[in-house]
Every structure is written in C-alpha cells, then in structure tokens.
C-alpha cells in the first residue's frame, strides 16, 4: 500500500553494482534484488530485472545544468587546441556515478567515500578539437562542472 495512491502502481528501482568482494569465501558476490523488497509492511516478489549496459549513449536525454536530484546523464565538451596530454578529471560537485570520454568509460567515482578524487584520462583517448564528456550521476549533483588537472588527487 502506498499512501495517496489508488489503483495499480509501478515501482522502479535503480541498483548499482559498486562495491564488490573480490577475495575469500564471498568471491561470487552477486548483485541485484535477490529476494523480496519490502514496501511498507508487505514484501513484493517477481521483479523484472534487466541490465543497463551503457554501451550506446547517443540516444540519451541529458539533464539540465542546474541541480538535479535523481539519476541523470550530463554532457559537455573539452576543447583541446594543442596535442592532447594525460590528464585527470575531478568531479567535486557530483556524488556517485561514472564518466565517459569520447565514448570510453574512464571509471566510476564516489565522492563522499573516496579514496581518490580524480580519474585518469590517458592522452590517446583525447583528440585535438572537441572531446565529449558524459557523466552519469546516480544520486545528485550540486555543481555540474568537471575540472581537468595535471596531477592526481588521491585524498
């Protein structure tokens, strides 16, 4: 029962797979909803689960530039005049998600937890001219800007 809702309702849950055990007896660390989900005092079963592979991001709708409090994709460009060099990307205004540069997944970030504050962007992934930066934010962001720096910040 959901207060104030009558008739049929649909509940969508976005679950991420961050944090895996990769050693010892829990090596087969399964992800997903492995049983029922309790909503109020009632358990619900029979979930339809499907992966979001994030292979082709070209057909996405991107979020606005102001603060947003739900999962969102944001897109921007890094314009490079000279020969690209190795760099690091900082996402201080973001909370948790992943970043792609020119369609290549750079990695995931979780700013409150750390330990790193930057993700490595190797020069061969960059090109002269415009480079597409896509950020998937699963929680919320305050400032939708990224910063490129020449040294890593590891906490």
């Amino acid at each position: 029962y959901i207060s104030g809702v009558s008739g049929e309702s649909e509940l969508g849950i976005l679950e991420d797979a961050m944090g895996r055990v990769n050693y010892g007896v829990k090596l087969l660390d399964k992800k997903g909803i492995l049983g029922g989900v309790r909503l109020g005092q009632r358990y619900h079963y029979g979930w339809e689960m499907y992966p979001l592979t994030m292979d082709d991001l070209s057909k996405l709708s991107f979020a606005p530039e102001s603060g947003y409090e739900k999962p969102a994709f944001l897109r921007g460009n890094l314009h490079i005049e000279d020969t690209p060099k190795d760099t690091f990307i900082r996402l201080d205004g973001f909370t948790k998600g992943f970043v792609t540069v020119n369609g290549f997944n750079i990695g995931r970030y979780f700013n409150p937890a750390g330990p790193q504050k930057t993700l490595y962007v190797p020069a061969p992934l960059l090109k002269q001219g415009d480079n597409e930066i896509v950020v998937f934010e699963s929680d919320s962001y305050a400032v939708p800007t990224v910063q490129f720096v020449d040294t890593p910040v590891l906490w």
Side-chain angles (χ1 to χ4, degrees), residues 59-129:
K59 297 177 183 166
L60 291 173
S61 295
F62 292 94
E65 293 182 12
S66 60
Y68 206 62
E69 294 188 13
K70 57 176 116 175
F73 286 91
L74 297 101
R75 178 176 49 192
N77 282 307
L78 169 65
H79 187 79
I80 299 176
E81 294 287 332
D82 298 321
T83 303
K85 296 188 173 27
D86 290 353
T87 187
F88 298 87
I89 188 170
R90 286 191 68 137
L91 297 113
D92 292 338
F94 294 90
T95 305
K96 182 179 174 184
F98 71 86
V99 180
T100 68
V101 174
N102 293 329
F104 186 85
N105 190 331
I106 297 300
R108 50 190 191 183
Y109 61 91
F110 190 14
N111 279 327
Q116 84 269 7
K117 293 290 182 184
T118 54
L119 296 171
Y120 176 58
V121 182
L125 295 180
L126 299 169
K127 60 186 178 189
Q128 281 186 318

Side-chain angles (χ1 to χ4, degrees), residues 19-90:
R20 293 193 175 272
V21 175
N22 62 355
Y23 60 89
V25 297
K26 294 198 178 226
L27 187 58
L28 297 174
D29 186 19
K30 296 182 179 181
K31 298 294 179 188
I33 298 173
L34 303 176
V37 172
R38 193 168 97 179
L39 184 60
Q41 297 299 315
R42 184 173 173 196
Y43 280 94
H44 298 267
Y45 297 93
W47 293 94
E48 180 180 340
M49 291 187 275
Y50 53 93
L52 301 175
T53 60
M54 309 294 182
D55 291 338
D56 181 10
L57 305 180
S58 65
K59 297 177 183 166
L60 291 173
S61 295
F62 292 94
E65 293 182 12
S66 60
Y68 206 62
E69 294 188 13
K70 57 176 116 175
F73 286 91
L74 297 101
R75 178 176 49 192
N77 282 307
L78 169 65
H79 187 79
I80 299 176
E81 294 287 332
D82 298 321
T83 303
K85 296 188 173 27
D86 290 353
T87 187
F88 298 87
I89 188 170
R90 286 191 68 137

